[in-house]
Amino acid sequence: MRVPLTHIKIAKDLQELTLHGSKEFPVALYETVMRLDSMDFIPLHWHTEIQFVYLKSGRAKYRMGADVLVLEEGEGLFINASELHEAKPFQIEQAIIYCVNVNPMMIGGYEGSIFMTKYVQPYLTSHRLPYVKLTKELSQKVACMANLMREQDAFYEMKVWRELLSIWQSMLAQSLLPEEMTDPSNIVQHERAKAMLDFLHAHYQQKIALEDLSKHVYLSRTECSSYFKKIVGMTPFSYLLQYRLRKSIELLRDDEQTVTIIAANTGFSTVSYYIEKFKEYTGYSPHVYRKKFL
C-alpha cells in the first residue's frame, strides 16, 4: 500500500489514526516513498502498534525521542508501541521504506495468554526500550515479511505470522528487548514533550507565547525549551512553524481555499509572512507547490 506521507491521519496528541490491517489480520504493510523536494516524509507521530522498518533504498534519518539514527539501504529498525518517531531522507533526495505495523495481539494471541503475559507485555508496557536497530539477519526477515504481504500468495498470512514470531523470538533470545524500564528521567521528559506537543497542536491557529507553553507543563521558559528541544530536536517555535506549514499543505489540496484563507486558518499573522516561510520550507510558493505536487 503506497501512502502519501504528508497526509497521514494524526490526532492532536500525535497518535496516528490509520486502521492498520483488519480485525482478522491486524498487520499492515506500507511501502512509503519519502521525498525532500515535496517535503513528503513521515511526520512526528506514535501508534499503539509495534512497527518493523526496512530501508529498501536510499538513506533515512529516524528520530525516536531524543535519539537520532541513520538507516542505510538494507538496514532495519524496530519501533516500540507508543513511541514518538519521525523519518525523512538523509543527504539524499529520496528514500523508500517498508513499514510493517503489527498489533501485539498477533504475537501474544489474546489477553491473559502465557504468550502475551510472558513474552509480549513485559517488553511493551511502562516505557520499555523505545527502538532496536536490527541485525542484518533480522532486517532481511522484515524484508521477507514485507514481500510476502506484497505478493499475497497462498497461505501468505500464515507465512507472515511465522516470520513475525521468528523475528520476535530472535529479538528476545538476543536480549535486544530488555525488560528493564528506561531511565525514569527520560520517561518524564517524554511525557512532558507529549504534553507540550498536544498544547501546540490544540492552539496552533492562535498566537502562542513561550510563557503559555511553559505554564501548561509547569516549567520555566528555559526548562520548557530545553526539554522540548531534547525530545523533538528543535525549539518549540521552530516546530510550531513547521506544523503550521504542514497543516497548510493539507489545506492546499482543496482548490476552493485561497492562499489568504489558508494562511489565516493556520495561525499566520499575514499572508506575506506565510508565503515567505512556505518558500523557505519547501523551495516553492504555495501556488507553485499546489500545482506541482497536489
Side-chain angles (χ1 to χ4, degrees):
M1 177 178 180
R2 290 183 178 270
V3 182
L5 302 176
T6 305
H7 313 298
I8 290 176
K9 293 180 180 179
I10 296 173
K12 287 181 179 178
D13 66 354
L14 286 186
Q15 180 179 3
E16 185 179 351
L17 299 178
T18 306
L19 176 64
H20 300 292
S22 63
K23 183 178 179 180
E24 297 77 17
F25 189 61
V27 182
L29 167 68
Y30 303 99
E31 181 181 354
T32 53
V33 181
M34 301 187 293
R35 296 184 178 90
L36 282 182
D37 62 349
S38 59
M39 307 308 290
D40 201 22
F41 43 76
I42 300 177
L44 199 66
H45 71 291
W46 61 274
H47 32 70
T48 56
E49 297 81 10
I50 57 177
Q51 184 178 82
F52 296 92
V53 175
Y54 176 78
L55 186 60
K56 183 180 178 183
S57 68
R59 303 176 82 199
K61 181 169 73 173
Y62 269 81
R63 171 175 284 277
M64 285 78 54
D67 294 345
V68 175
L69 179 73
V70 174
L71 281 189
E72 303 288 347
E73 188 171 316
E75 292 186 329
L77 183 67
F78 164 76
I79 301 174
N80 217 332
S82 302
E83 292 298 329
L84 280 170
H85 59 281
E86 67 175 5
K88 59 184 67 176
F90 181 66
Q91 296 179 341
I92 197 167
E93 283 300 315
Q94 177 176 296
I96 302 176
I97 55 174
Y98 286 143
C99 296
V100 181
N101 286 25
V102 179
N103 186 321
M105 298 294 280
M106 277 292 292
I107 302 171
Y110 58 90
E111 207 67 46
S113 74
I114 191 169
F115 305 108
M116 182 62 78
T117 57
K118 186 175 181 179
Y119 298 113
V120 178
Q121 283 180 334
Y123 303 95
L124 304 185
T125 56
S126 302
H127 297 278
R128 303 302 182 189
L129 199 66
Y131 69 94
V132 173
K133 174 78 175 294
L134 298 179
T135 63
K136 184 176 181 180
E137 178 187 2
L138 292 181
S139 298
Q140 288 303 313
K141 283 183 173 291
V142 174
C144 177
M145 188 163 55
N147 286 327
L148 287 168
M149 294 190 68
R150 287 181 70 223
E151 295 165 5
Q152 297 192 5
D153 291 339
F155 307 109
Y156 86 92
E157 296 96 340
M158 295 184 71
K159 294 174 183 177
V160 168
W161 186 43
R162 184 177 63 201
E163 289 293 341
L164 180 61
L165 291 177
S166 175
I167 292 169
W168 195 254
Q169 181 180 341
S170 295
M171 288 176 68
L172 298 189
Q174 297 172 33
S175 299
L176 298 178
L177 276 177
E179 288 190 56
E180 294 82 8
M181 288 181 65
T182 56
D183 187 336
S185 65
N186 289 340
I187 295 172
V188 171
Q189 291 172 2
H190 190 81
E191 291 305 315
R192 277 179 170 159
K194 272 189 173 181
M196 286 187 274
L197 287 164
D198 191 29
F199 181 85
L200 293 177
H201 298 157
H203 301 284
Y204 77 94
Q205 294 170 303
Q206 306 158 20
K207 187 175 181 179
I208 302 174
L210 183 57
E211 188 173 0
D212 300 325
L213 187 60
S214 61
K215 282 182 178 178
H216 181 68
V217 290
Y218 307 103
L219 292 173
S220 70
R221 288 182 296 178
T222 302
E223 288 175 315
C224 177
S225 289
S226 177
Y227 268 114
F228 194 94
K229 190 169 184 179
K230 182 173 182 179
I231 300 300
V232 182
M234 62 183 76
T235 67
F237 290 101
S238 292
Y239 177 84
L240 178 61
L241 175 60
Q242 288 197 17
Y243 186 77
R244 285 169 167 164
L245 290 167
R246 292 184 70 82
K247 295 298 287 187
S248 80
I249 289 174
E250 293 177 18
L251 298 180
L252 282 169
R253 294 176 64 85
D254 181 0
D255 291 334
E256 299 296 316
Q257 294 201 46
T258 67
V259 170
T260 301
I261 291 173
I262 290 171
N265 288 342
T266 49
F268 288 93
S269 54
T270 65
V271 67
S272 59
Y273 179 69
Y274 166 59
I275 293 172
E276 175 192 340
K277 292 302 175 183
F278 194 96
K279 288 184 74 173
E280 287 180 11
Y281 184 59
T282 67
Y284 304 94
S285 70
H287 294 287
V288 173
Y289 188 96
R290 173 181 260 167
K291 291 178 180 178
K292 186 176 178 68
F293 299 110
L294 305 176

